[in-house]
């Protein structure tokens, strides 16, 4: 008769002989006491041997279509208000909104704290109660960081706003930053994009449409930022309701532990910050290199970003698919397969973009932008590279516990990309700037692949199965994500 060992939930400090439980001491090193849960292992093996049924295929197809709806609505919803705002209040009003979106988006990168990078795969393996607990901890941590950051961004928005629109710019800034409090990172991890749609995307689109109607009927411009604020505040409230958040989830950790949670998220945060630097400043740097490069680079870059919104769908799917696998070795195997699949998708998207970019640019920009063949090919290769990094970083390196390597790759991309775009624009115009962007993206991919290869060789050299931490991070990598309360209740 086989002995069954029960795996019990544990917090950051509770440990038991019959429980796989990990905790972090004040120096950031991880203590481990482990006993294999035989019943969990048998259950995992039996689940993997079940044949793929029509129901599972329908589930994946439904999830994929729901994920496609997210970028589609995100791309279309701002366009609902643009005609009403410009027709009623002119271009200066839309400029005020654009300034607020830029400042709020920048502040939101900091407020988000990298939970979307380090948390989605962990959430896939958590129980429903532990996911609610983790969401509560993330909300408290984001609030601690968000209050000063959003306050500073709003103050800056008031100073930079076009004349007469200070409150509008400030409102849009606050709404864009507060939107980062939503539970999207959990819904992505558990492969339930419909919850993402119902709690955030659809309500925001509906409120923007209502504000557009109100402004078109002669209402105040404040209707637009008010709609954004209402949508931003309602998203985490709806997420808390869906996840079953309780008051005690906000008080799980002491203030000192919360500070440590924020500290452990710094690596994932730095990755987002470095990435946003060379992505958001690309057009500005190209303009500094050559004014004549701006039109071509900005137009092609805009088309690339639109396509990337849809390419990110496969990254969302892979995060949940990889993260829900409880066996560490098989989870890494899934991550490798996901990276190969992303590379294939990237090649297809890159080829299509290279062949159609001149025609699409002529259609979208009303014939004012001509995209040379060489520029289209360079942009297509960039698309393929970016699509690959959507899995090599957030999926493969996270499953290997190398979040720090993602931050390093983003830093290398910024260091290489900014001067590459500048000198490329100076020497070869818009095409040269696009080549500089390609060099930056290629450097990111090279760093990520090198880190993944090195980690896999380390594990094979020591005769270890990939990953021994239940949250998917390497004990030696103190820069990885901090195990949240309840992570050990879902051992791998």
């Amino acid at each position: 008769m086989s002995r069954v060992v029960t795996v019990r939930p544990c917090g950051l400090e509770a440990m038991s002989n019959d429980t796989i439980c990990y905790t972090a001491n004040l120096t950031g090193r991880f203590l481990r006491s482990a006993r294999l849960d035989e019943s969990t292992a048998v259950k995992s093996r039996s689940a993997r041997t079940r044949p793929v049924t029509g129901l599972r295929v329908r589930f994946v197809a439904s999830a994929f279509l729901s994920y496609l709806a997210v970028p589609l609505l995100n791309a279309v919803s701002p366009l609902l208000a643009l005609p009403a705002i410009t027709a009623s209040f002119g271009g200066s009003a839309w400029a005020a909104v654009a300034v607020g979106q830029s400042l709020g988006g920048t502040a939101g990168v900091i407020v988000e704290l990298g939970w979307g990078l380090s948390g989605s795969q962990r959430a896939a393996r958590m129980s429903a109660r532990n996911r609610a607990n983790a969401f509560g901890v993330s909300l408290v941590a984001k609030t601690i960081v968000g209050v000063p950051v959003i306050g500073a961004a709003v103050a800056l928005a008031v100073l930079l706003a076009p004349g007469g629109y200070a409150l509008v710019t400030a409102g849009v800034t606050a709404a864009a930053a507060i939107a980062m409090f939503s539970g999207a990172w959990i819904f992505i991890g558990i492969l339930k994009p419909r919850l993402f749609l119902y709690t955030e995307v659809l309500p925001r689109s509906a409120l923007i449409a209502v504000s557009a109607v109100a402004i078109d009927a002669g209402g105040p411009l404040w209707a637009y930022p008010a709609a954004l604020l209402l949508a931003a505040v309602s998203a985490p409230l709806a997420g808390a309701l869906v996840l079953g958040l309780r008051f005690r989830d906000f008080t799980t950790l002491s203030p000192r532990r919360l500070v440590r949670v924020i500290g452990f998220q710094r690596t994932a945060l730095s990755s987002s910050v470095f990435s946003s630097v060379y992505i958001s400043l690309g057009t500005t740097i190209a303009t500094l290199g050559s004014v004549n490069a701006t039109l071509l680079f900005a137009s092609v870059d805009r088309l690339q970003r639109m396509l990337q919104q849809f390419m990110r769908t496969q990254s969302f799917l892979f995060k949940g698919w990889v993260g829900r696998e409880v066996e560490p070795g098989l989870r890494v195997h899934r991550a490798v397969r996901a990276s190969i699949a992303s590379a294939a998708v990237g090649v297809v998207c890159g080829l299509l973009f290279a062949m159609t970019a001149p025609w699409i640019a002529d259609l979208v920009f009303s014939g004012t932008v001509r995209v040379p063949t060489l520029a289209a090919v360079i942009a297509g290769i960039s698309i393929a590279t970016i699509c690959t990094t959507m899995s090599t970083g957030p999926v493969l390196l996270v499953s290997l516990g190398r979040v720090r390597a993602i931050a390093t790759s983003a830093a290398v991309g910024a260091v290489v990309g900014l001067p590459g775009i500048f000198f490329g624009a100076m020497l070869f115009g818009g095409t040269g700037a696009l080549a500089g962007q390609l060099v930056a993206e290629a450097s990111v991919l090279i760093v990520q692949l090198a880190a993944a290869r090195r980690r896999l060789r380390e594990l094979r050299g020591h005769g270890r199965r990939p990953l021994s931490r239940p949250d998917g991070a390497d004990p030696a990598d103190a820069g990885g994500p901090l195990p949240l309360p309840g992570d050990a209740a879902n051992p791998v």
Side-chain angles (χ1 to χ4, degrees):
M1 180 181 297
S2 62
R3 183 174 64 88
V4 176
V5 179
T6 303
V7 176
R8 298 191 297 271
C10 61
L12 283 175
E13 299 187 62
M15 301 183 73
S16 167
N17 289 332
D18 292 334
T19 304
I20 294 182
C21 176
Y22 293 78
T23 180
N25 62 18
L26 292 180
T27 64
R29 292 174 299 182
F30 295 91
L31 306 176
R32 175 186 180 194
S33 74
R35 184 73 62 84
L36 179 63
D37 178 8
E38 299 170 4
S39 63
T40 301
V42 172
K43 180 179 179 181
S44 177
R45 286 194 297 269
S46 63
R48 291 192 299 272
T49 57
R50 288 197 303 263
V52 177
T53 63
L55 181 62
R56 295 168 105 185
V57 172
R58 286 195 297 270
F59 170 77
V60 173
S62 175
F64 182 74
L65 292 175
S66 297
Y67 277 131
L68 278 178
V70 172
L72 178 62
L73 288 173
N74 282 335
V76 171
S77 59
L79 301 179
L80 298 176
L82 175 58
I85 292 175
T86 53
S88 300
F89 297 95
S92 59
W94 181 249
V97 171
V99 170
Q101 290 174 336
S102 177
L103 289 172
T106 303
V109 171
I110 301 174
V111 172
E112 200 266 342
L113 283 175
W115 288 92
L117 176 62
S118 65
S120 293
Q121 286 196 42
R122 249 187 350 236
R125 298 188 297 278
M126 288 180 178
S127 66
R129 180 88 291 277
N130 290 334
R131 280 195 292 267
N133 196 320
F135 185 50
V137 171
S138 73
L139 289 179
V140 176
K142 289 179 182 180
T143 300
I144 294 173
V145 175
V147 169
V149 171
I150 295 175
V154 168
L156 186 60
V158 173
L159 294 176
L160 297 179
Y165 294 111
L167 292 179
V168 172
T169 303
V172 174
T173 299
I178 295 172
M180 296 297 105
F181 282 75
S182 75
W185 61 278
I186 289 183
F187 300 141
I188 289 171
I190 62 177
L191 286 178
K192 291 187 177 180
R194 290 184 180 180
L195 295 179
F196 188 10
L197 285 171
Y198 296 154
T199 62
E200 181 178 355
V201 180
L202 286 176
R204 181 174 63 243
S205 300
L207 287 169
I208 289 176
V210 170
S211 70
V213 172
I215 292 173
D216 192 56
L221 181 59
W222 241 103
Y224 182 69
L228 293 180
L229 280 168
L230 181 57
V233 173
S234 65
L237 294 177
L241 183 63
V242 170
L243 293 171
L245 207 65
R246 302 173 184 172
F247 178 78
R248 69 184 183 188
D249 294 324
F250 295 104
T251 59
T252 299
L253 300 182
S254 65
R256 190 173 71 173
R257 292 290 186 183
L258 281 169
V259 172
R260 290 184 57 231
V261 168
I262 296 172
F264 272 89
Q265 288 296 121
R266 70 184 182 276
T267 305
L269 171 61
S270 62
S271 175
S272 301
V273 170
F274 284 128
S275 297
S276 66
V277 167
Y278 74 90
I279 291 175
S280 61
L281 294 179
T283 300
T284 302
I285 299 300
T287 303
L288 293 175
S290 173
V291 176
N292 295 328
T294 304
L295 181 61
L296 175 60
F297 179 83
S299 301
V300 175
D301 184 66
R302 171 58 60 184
L303 296 177
Q304 285 179 309
R305 303 306 165 194
M306 292 171 62
L307 178 58
Q308 288 171 35
Q309 288 288 331
F310 292 92
M311 290 194 307
R312 196 164 283 115
T313 298
Q314 47 94 22
S315 179
F316 291 162
L317 278 172
F318 288 145
K319 282 182 179 181
W321 179 63
V322 172
R324 68 195 308 174
E325 173 56 60
V326 297
E327 179 66 29
L330 290 175
R331 187 160 66 246
V332 173
H333 181 62
R334 283 191 177 191
V336 172
R337 292 167 61 190
S339 299
I340 295 173
S342 288
V345 172
V347 170
V348 173
C349 291
L351 286 173
L352 291 176
F353 188 90
M355 291 186 294
T356 61
W359 175 77
I360 294 176
D362 185 65
L363 178 66
V364 172
F365 301 108
S366 303
T368 59
V369 179
R370 179 182 173 275
V371 179
T373 301
L374 180 59
V377 171
I378 292 174
I381 299 174
S382 292
I383 286 290
T385 306
I386 292 169
C387 189
T388 304
T389 59
M390 287 180 179
S391 281
T392 55
V395 179
L396 178 57
L397 286 176
V398 169
S399 69
L400 288 169
R402 283 298 185 257
V403 178
R404 182 177 294 164
I406 304 175
T408 301
S409 69
V412 170
V415 171
V416 173
L418 295 182
I421 293 173
F422 176 81
F423 289 109
M426 179 185 294
L427 297 175
F428 304 105
T431 302
L434 289 169
Q437 182 188 58
L438 170 59
V439 172
E441 299 296 350
S443 65
V444 170
L445 178 60
I446 291 171
V447 172
Q448 291 183 356
L449 290 177
R453 182 173 181 269
R454 184 167 56 251
R455 177 56 178 157
L456 288 171
R457 291 182 67 179
E458 288 175 1
L459 294 174
R460 294 192 187 104
H462 288 83
R464 296 164 51 191
R465 292 191 311 171
L467 302 183
S468 56
R469 279 266 307 283
D471 61 355
D474 177 17
D477 189 0
L482 178 70
L484 293 174
D487 274 5
N490 303 274
V492 293

